[in-house]
Amino acid sequence: ELAITSDEALSLDDLPKRAVVFGGGYIAVEFASIWRGLGATVDLFYRKELPLRGFDDEMRAVVARNLEGRGIKLHPQTNLMELVKTDNGIKVITDHGGELIADVVLFATGRLPNTKRLNLEAVGVEIDKTGAVKVDEYSRTNIPSIWAVGDVTNRMNLTPVALMEGTCFATTVFGGESSKPDYRNIPCAVFSIPPLSIVGLSEEEAIEQVNGDVLVFTSTFNPMKNTVSGRQEKTIMKLVVDAETDKVLGASMCGPDAPEIMQGIAVALKCGATKAQFDSTVGIHPSAAEEFVTMRSVSRRVTARGKAKTNL
C-alpha cells in the first residue's frame, strides 16, 4: 500500500523529490542513480556492508563511493521496519530507530518466480522451494514434453541469458542438435552512474577456485571527459589472472562506457585469452579501453584461500 516495486517506478505520475530505495542489487542501485540524476534526494538502504552482493568486493566498494559522490545517502546494514502514511509523505522507520520522510519508497529486494498460477502440480512438474521450475542442463523439466527457460527457472536471471536458453532449446527440440546453455564467462552490467560491468570470475571467486596463485592487475585513472568537466570520479579497471596458466579469469570496470568495453573483453575471455595476449594487443589511443591492454604491473599476488603473498 505504501511502497512500490520497479514496475510502478516506471509509471509514476510525478518525479519524487524524496526517494527511499530498499535493496542492494541491480534494480536498487539503478533506480537510486536514475532518481538522483533527475535531482531527487535519494536514501539507499541495504542489509549488507556494501551494495551488489555477489560482485567483486573491490568493485562493490568503488560503486558505493561513486553513489555517495553523486549525492546518494547510503545506509548499509540497515533494514526498514515500518512505513507510516503522514500528511507530509511516507514516514520510514529503520531497525536502528532512524526516521525520515519520503515521497516514494521502492522495494527492490528480489522477486520469486511467477509460477503459482500455472497449476504445474496438476501435471507433476517439479518446482523448488522458491517456486522456480526445476530443469536439467538442456532446460527440460521432469515431464519430457515440458521445457522451461528464463527467470522462471531461477538460474542466471538476465535477459540475454534467457535468449541463449531459448535458442538452445529451439536448436535441441526443432533443430535436431543437442545444445545446452554455457554459463561460463557471461558478461553483465549494472547501469549505475557511472556503470559497472564484469565478465568471468571475481577476485574472491578466483581465489576460491584456483589451486595456485592469482594475479590481480588494476588501473585507476580520471577519464578524459571527467578531466574536461572537472568531475573527480575515477574509472577503475581490474584483471584477475591465473598465475600458473596466465589465463585471464575475470575482468571488471566501473566507469563511463564500461558495458560497451566489456562486451569486447567478454569475447576474449570466451576464447580463453591469456594475459600475454592482452599485453600484445595494441591499444586504441586515446581511449579508456586501452588500459585493459597496458596493465603491466601486478597490483597483488594472492594465494589460494585468500592469503596475500605479494603486494607490488
Side-chain angles (χ1 to χ4, degrees):
E1 180 182 351
L2 297 180
I4 64 171
T5 70
S6 56
D7 292 343
E8 294 80 35
L10 294 171
S11 58
L12 294 175
D13 293 330
D14 300 299
L15 174 67
K17 294 181 179 180
R18 302 163 298 180
V20 164
V21 180
F22 182 42
Y26 288 79
I27 298 299
V29 169
E30 290 175 351
F31 270 101
S33 297
I34 291 169
W35 281 333
R36 181 57 191 154
L38 292 172
T41 297
V42 179
D43 288 82
L44 177 61
F45 295 82
Y46 45 91
R47 300 186 185 101
K48 300 297 182 179
E49 293 182 3
L50 292 167
L52 300 176
R53 182 179 60 176
F55 284 79
D56 185 285
D57 285 348
E58 186 174 15
M59 304 309 289
R60 294 170 68 197
V62 170
V63 171
R65 288 198 301 270
N66 286 342
L67 292 174
E68 286 186 308
R70 293 274 174 164
I72 296 172
K73 299 175 185 176
L74 303 186
H75 303 267
Q77 297 179 301
T78 305
N79 212 338
L80 302 190
M81 300 302 293
E82 187 177 0
L83 303 180
V84 180
K85 188 174 183 179
T86 71
D87 293 337
N88 192 33
I90 302 169
K91 180 191 290 186
V92 179
I93 304 173
T94 75
D95 58 350
H96 298 320
E99 295 184 4
L100 56 88
I101 299 293
D103 299 313
V104 65
V105 179
L106 169 65
F107 273 69
T109 52
R111 294 174 182 263
L112 295 175
N114 188 15
T115 56
K116 288 184 178 180
R117 59 181 179 167
L118 295 179
N119 199 25
L120 296 174
E121 62 275 10
V123 291
V125 173
E126 293 182 356
I127 58 176
D128 67 17
K129 60 182 180 181
T130 69
V133 179
K134 292 184 178 181
V135 293
D136 63 15
E137 58 186 349
Y138 291 95
S139 299
R140 196 173 200 168
T141 72
N142 61 302
I143 305 300
S145 61
I146 299 178
W147 307 63
V149 300
D151 292 4
V152 75
T153 62
N154 199 29
R155 286 177 282 182
M156 184 173 287
N157 299 331
L158 296 169
T159 300
V161 173
L163 293 173
M164 173 182 68
E165 292 169 354
T167 299
C168 291
F169 157 75
T171 301
T172 300
V173 176
F174 304 113
E177 179 182 348
S178 295
S179 178
K180 55 186 177 182
D182 182 1
Y183 297 96
R184 295 170 297 175
N185 294 324
I186 292 175
C188 64
V190 180
F191 289 94
S192 51
I193 302 175
L196 167 69
S197 191
I198 67 167
V199 63
L201 302 182
S202 67
E203 180 177 345
E204 293 73 30
E205 289 171 334
I207 291 169
E208 183 69 26
Q209 296 180 27
V210 173
N211 291 326
D213 290 359
V214 172
L215 304 179
V216 179
F217 297 80
T218 58
S219 179
T220 303
F221 58 94
N222 201 30
M224 189 175 296
K225 61 179 66 176
N226 285 356
T227 301
V228 173
S229 67
R231 178 179 291 278
Q232 298 301 311
E233 195 168 70
K234 302 293 186 181
T235 285
I236 311 292
M237 293 180 172
K238 183 173 184 177
L239 289 175
V240 178
V241 179
D242 186 327
E244 182 178 351
T245 65
D246 197 44
K247 186 175 180 179
V248 178
L249 304 174
S252 52
M253 174 182 174
C254 185
D257 305 316
E260 305 294 337
I261 293 171
M262 199 55 61
Q263 183 68 82
I265 300 294
V267 175
L269 264 65
K270 199 72 175 176
C271 294
T274 63
K275 183 62 168 62
Q277 290 170 326
F278 269 69
D279 293 344
S280 66
T281 301
V282 176
I284 300 173
H285 184 76
S287 71
E290 68 177 319
E291 289 290 323
F292 272 118
V293 298
T294 58
M295 286 190 277
R296 301 287 191 268
S297 300
V298 179
S299 298
R300 55 187 171 273
R301 186 184 188 103
V302 187
T303 64
R305 308 195 183 281
K307 295 182 179 179
K309 179 179 288 187
T310 308
N311 287 288
L312 302 176

